[in-house]
Amino acid sequence: MPELAPVAPDEPADNGEGLVARIVTMTAVQGEAVQAGEIAGPAVQFTLELTNDTGEAVDLGLISVNAYIGEGRTPAGGLV
């Protein structure tokens, strides 16, 4: 699947072929470091919703979501 253009947190991401992702909730949490390289601390947990009107099954193992900070699009860190 091609990489989609970035969208604001309150906008859906639409691949133009019937697959749409949107953020349902953003919750402030205390992130816990589990894997090597992770840093514990204040974090944001996202709940996402994917709507599939393509008529075909979508392998969610092929879906990746990235978060960025600010207009400079600094990649946000991730936690397992």
Side-chain angles (χ1 to χ4, degrees):
M1 288 188 197
E3 182 177 340
L4 301 180
V7 296
D10 60 345
E11 295 180 11
D14 187 339
N15 78 342
E17 298 179 18
L19 188 62
V20 178
R22 72 179 188 91
I23 297 172
V24 176
T25 61
M26 292 187 292
T27 307
V29 297
Q30 184 64 25
E32 180 182 335
V34 175
Q35 294 185 346
E38 293 183 339
I39 300 173
V44 178
Q45 180 179 28
F46 295 91
T47 301
L48 305 175
E49 175 183 85
L50 295 175
T51 303
N52 180 9
D53 290 328
T54 66
E56 301 290 329
V58 174
D59 183 351
L60 297 180
L62 301 176
I63 303 293
S64 175
V65 177
N66 300 308
Y68 300 95
I69 301 167
E71 291 184 24
R73 293 186 57 215
T74 302
L79 296 172
V80 173

